[in-house]
Amino acid sequence: MDRLFKRKCRCCLVSLSTTAPTEYYCSPECKLKNNNTVNISTDIVNGSRCHEMTTHVWPNGYAYFNHDKKRYAAHRLSWEIANGCSLKDDEWILHACDNPKCVNPDHLRSGNAKDNAKDREVRNRRPTRSATRSAKLQGTKSHLSKLTEQQVREIRYELTHLSNNEISKLYHTGVSNIEHIRAGRTWKHV
């Protein structure tokens, strides 16, 4: 059975009970409102600056955060809070600023996939390779990476006297990961 943590929400001070030891907010809305990981950028759009979330960013550039074992797209939640209504699954949130990390409600509007494609065409934007789902991010550019390029070089060229098992313990990664690195099946760009 999970341990139950009792505390007050850091935003609205409502009592909450949660099984997550690092959860301090009663709702995703409070978490976003009280988020100290939003930077105000110098880009001015619609008379206001971008509010960029900087902590968690998906590989496609959009900011997100976790609450109560669920993941939320920050820009969608920001729009919902500002407009006091929930989005349907087929509704999109479009950025006037073209900044996927921005959560400033003044820069967001609802639309659909067709509206998004029209915006992309009008603004002469094409999805970049790194913004597509099929993108293969290499090395430390991947959010899944546990090693750096320098560590991979050490594994391949300097630690030849150690076994795969010893190296995996040294770098806190799996033996199969070390085997793939040494065989050249992964980290081919290094």
Side-chain angles (χ1 to χ4, degrees), residues 34-183:
N34 209 43
N35 195 326
N36 60 357
T37 57
V38 175
N39 290 338
I40 309 299
S41 77
T42 56
D43 301 329
I44 297 178
V45 178
N46 294 342
S48 61
R49 299 182 190 280
C50 286
H51 301 173
E52 288 185 350
M53 275 198 68
T54 57
T55 50
H56 303 294
V57 179
W58 279 307
N60 65 3
Y62 286 89
Y64 71 93
F65 64 92
N66 300 313
H67 177 77
D68 202 20
K69 299 179 183 177
K70 292 181 185 174
R71 190 163 280 179
Y72 296 88
H75 64 292
R76 289 179 66 88
L77 187 60
S78 176
W79 186 91
E80 287 179 349
I81 292 168
N83 292 282
C85 60
S86 297
L87 290 164
K88 297 177 190 137
D89 288 340
D90 63 341
E91 282 186 284
W92 291 45
I93 294 300
L94 312 177
H95 289 82
C97 55
D98 286 340
N99 180 356
K101 293 180 194 171
C102 182
V103 294
N104 184 345
D106 294 339
H107 296 187
L108 306 174
R109 67 180 173 87
S110 70
N112 56 34
K114 193 172 182 178
D115 296 332
N116 192 47
K118 188 192 257 182
D119 275 3
R120 188 174 60 233
E121 196 65 37
V122 167
R123 295 176 186 169
N124 201 22
R125 281 185 292 112
R126 296 281 183 262
T128 61
R129 180 175 162 77
S130 63
T132 61
R133 288 183 186 213
S134 62
K136 300 245 179 177
L137 299 176
Q138 294 181 330
T140 54
K141 291 179 183 174
S142 170
H143 67 289
L144 301 172
S145 173
K146 291 184 177 182
L147 301 171
T148 65
E149 279 83 356
Q150 180 58 39
Q151 289 172 323
V152 170
R153 285 186 201 94
E154 290 171 5
I155 291 166
R156 278 200 186 133
Y157 308 114
E158 295 174 23
L159 301 175
T160 54
H161 61 284
L162 295 176
S163 72
N164 291 342
N165 195 24
E166 291 170 319
I167 294 172
S168 72
K169 287 178 183 173
L170 184 66
Y171 288 101
H172 306 288
T173 187
V175 176
S176 63
N177 193 17
I178 302 301
E179 290 170 354
H180 290 304
I181 289 169
R182 283 183 151 177

